[in-house]
Amino acid sequence: MRKTALILAATLVASPALSQTSPEPSPAVRAMAAGYKALMVCGAVFNAREAGAERTLDSIRDNELTGIYAELDPLVRDLPVQVDEHAVRVPWNTAMPDRLAIHTPGRGCAVAPVGAEGLPLRDPIVRAAPTDWPTAEVRGDAAALDTTLTGALAGTYGTANTTALVIVQDGRLVAERYAEGFSPDTPQRTWSVGKSLAGTLIGWAAHRMGGLDVNAPASVPEWSAPGDPRAAITLDNLMRMASGLTSDTAGNRTDALYFGGVTIAEQATSWPLIAAPGSRYRYANNDTLLAVHSLSDFFAANPPATFFDRLGMVDTTAETDWRGGYMLSSQVWSTARDLARFGQLYIQDGVWEGERLLPENWRAYVSEPSGPQPNGALGYGATFWLMNRSEGIPADTIAAQGNRGQYVVIVPSRRIVVVRRGEDAGGGGFDIARFAGDVLAALE
């Protein structure tokens, strides 16, 4: 049984100087900021505690709660927070109940809707026991690799806040580094690395179900009315960010879903179609949310925790909205070592300890840049970025990438996985292509 403990009520308040010089924010913005703080503090504190680690409120303030969206940033830092035994509360309006996020063992945290004073009880999930990651000496230039990792922590690859680095070669952990306050047992929010985890879980579902046609229309009940053009959107369209649905901001920000307490079924299914499915690339959180929503019956009976435990990713928690819809576009907490296991599954082409977990050729499927493509240095497959245009990076390299500097770089031809975790404030840049290239150059 993992270590648990009572967390005494605490208060985290920053200086209000910045907010005094800003226009008074609307109640809606204050409510969102309070939800952000409640959920992020809840996830950081309780997911770490379940993994056997500790996060202090000071560390959370300096990392997760720094340099976020401009309209929320000063509010998030200034609002007080109370951490109770199983929940986090953030007061935000004297006439309204506190914003509330509640933790359930094995399920992580869920944020309640604005005005709610509680949530329905959720059954806990009992996770598997931790397992050791096999280690080995570096094959290659150990000194050069050491210099590269030291540089990543010191800012060589951009003015960013690196928190964890893990390098795996031939299935063995050969190097890792952590910033102060972080350790091998410290989960962090994956942000959009969760999208690639979602694509992997969809592959697991396809294998378990004995065949899932990704080119068939996605099973979204909310689109079943006769004549609804969204019924033509396929699972493949959703996985490739090519649904054709409205996307009003970069990434189609889903604040109401992530921090407002709105459910996936309520909002993600409501966007209108504005382009033919498969005709346009537009990176959008809702596409991934809808892909997972289309398999909600499967995931209700087969929780993602089952899959993660099979890989030894026992410190990885897939969180949900308050009604149980999996927020796999972003709301997953995981350690650097667990993400290396995820990467290793693709090195091994979907086979783990002799058991096939993903369909044959699933790695080839998620690596295929079919359909419309983004501009820039990276291509896009099915929930994975393609590093097939980066100097010094083999053309078969795929990557999971997320906000605030989350990267899992998978190089099948070299049998190498590179994990970099960060809390890069304000979208601060980390040059993952240069870092991964230097790591590859140091290894045989």
Side-chain angles (χ1 to χ4, degrees):
M1 187 116 179
R2 300 217 187 156
K3 176 173 66 174
T4 59
L6 173 68
I7 300 181
L8 299 177
T11 300
L12 174 63
V13 185
S15 167
L18 287 177
S19 61
Q20 290 176 351
T21 62
S22 304
E24 184 66 23
S26 70
V29 172
R30 287 186 64 84
M32 198 65 66
Y36 189 107
K37 189 164 193 172
L39 186 62
M40 293 299 290
V41 172
C42 184
V45 168
F46 290 112
N47 289 324
R49 191 167 288 275
E50 275 205 284
E54 292 288 342
R55 291 296 306 280
T56 67
L57 292 177
D58 284 346
S59 173
I60 297 166
R61 177 197 62 209
D62 294 342
N63 289 284
E64 282 88 348
L65 302 181
T66 298
I68 58 175
Y69 305 128
E71 70 275 23
L72 302 182
D73 186 72
L75 285 171
V76 167
R77 287 185 281 109
D78 291 351
L79 289 167
V81 61
Q82 178 179 306
V83 182
D84 300 325
E85 187 174 5
H86 299 296
V88 172
R89 296 179 178 274
V90 176
W92 65 282
N93 185 317
T94 56
M96 294 288 290
D98 299 343
R99 293 305 310 273
L100 175 69
I102 295 179
H103 175 263
T104 303
R107 294 187 182 274
C109 296
V111 67
V114 174
E117 297 182 311
L119 288 176
L121 291 177
R122 300 184 294 167
D123 293 331
I125 296 177
V126 178
R127 302 299 300 274
T131 58
D132 291 332
W133 181 272
T135 60
E137 297 295 322
V138 171
R139 284 196 302 102
D141 189 336
L145 182 61
D146 181 75
T147 298
T148 297
L149 300 188
T150 299
L153 287 171
T156 299
Y157 298 95
T159 55
N161 178 18
T162 298
T163 55
L165 302 163
V166 168
I167 311 300
V168 171
Q169 182 181 33
D170 289 326
R172 294 182 177 274
L173 192 154
V174 297
E176 64 182 339
R177 296 284 184 86
Y178 296 92
E180 183 178 356
F182 295 83
S183 75
D185 299 320
T186 305
Q188 294 176 253
R189 186 178 171 120
T190 64
W191 295 96
S192 287
V193 166
K195 293 178 172 66
S196 301
L197 291 168
T200 304
L201 287 162
I202 291 169
W204 178 59
H207 186 66
R208 290 285 295 270
M209 294 167 68
L212 176 67
D213 186 0
V214 296
N215 294 307
S219 179
V220 179
E222 293 81 0
W223 298 343
S224 61
D228 191 328
R230 298 172 299 180
I233 298 172
T234 68
L235 186 56
D236 181 74
N237 293 152
L238 295 170
M239 293 177 69
R240 296 186 183 278
M241 303 294 179
S243 66
L245 295 170
T246 300
S247 183
D248 59 345
T249 61
N252 196 208
R253 272 177 57 179
T254 44
D255 295 15
L257 285 168
Y258 289 167
F259 314 115
V262 177
T263 67
I264 293 167
E266 289 170 336
Q267 190 182 80
T269 61
S270 66
W271 293 92
L273 194 71
I274 61 171
S279 68
R280 180 195 69 168
Y281 173 89
R282 177 69 169 169
Y283 188 82
N285 294 328
N286 280 317
D287 280 15
T288 304
L289 290 168
L290 288 164
V292 175
H293 178 65
S294 75
L295 293 169
S296 57
D297 288 346
F298 174 86
F299 290 120
N302 302 272
T306 304
F307 177 80
F308 295 145
D309 284 355
R310 179 65 187 87
L311 294 179
M313 296 173 63
V314 299
D315 295 328
T316 298
T317 303
E319 296 184 332
T320 69
D321 64 32
W322 67 275
R323 288 193 181 276
Y326 281 100
M327 296 278 205
L328 285 165
S329 62
S330 176
Q331 204 165 307
V332 182
W333 289 74
S334 186
T335 64
R337 285 188 175 188
D338 276 9
L339 290 182
R341 289 176 180 271
F342 154 65
Q344 185 62 29
L345 176 66
Y346 280 92
I347 297 293
Q348 296 166 188
D349 204 11
V351 175
W352 194 264
E353 295 178 338
E355 179 186 2
R356 176 159 290 285
L357 301 181
L358 304 179
E360 291 186 20
N361 300 318
W362 191 257
R363 184 178 74 192
Y365 166 66
V366 301
S367 304
E368 182 184 5
S370 68
Q373 288 292 294
N375 298 321
L378 301 177
Y380 201 78
T383 74
F384 279 84
W385 293 96
L386 313 180
M387 297 183 71
N388 53 359
R389 310 171 192 165
S390 303
E391 185 177 352
I393 307 294
D396 66 339
T397 302
I398 60 176
Q401 301 193 12
N403 187 31
R404 301 182 68 86
Q406 319 311 316
Y407 299 102
V408 183
V409 180
I410 304 163
V411 192
S413 58
R414 296 284 305 277
R415 299 188 61 79
I416 290 170
V417 179
V418 177
V419 178
R420 186 269 182 179
R421 308 302 307 277
E423 290 296 343
D424 301 344
F430 181 86
D431 192 340
I432 186 60
R434 186 160 69 93
F435 172 69
D438 287 351
V439 169
L440 293 171
L443 300 175
E444 291 183 352

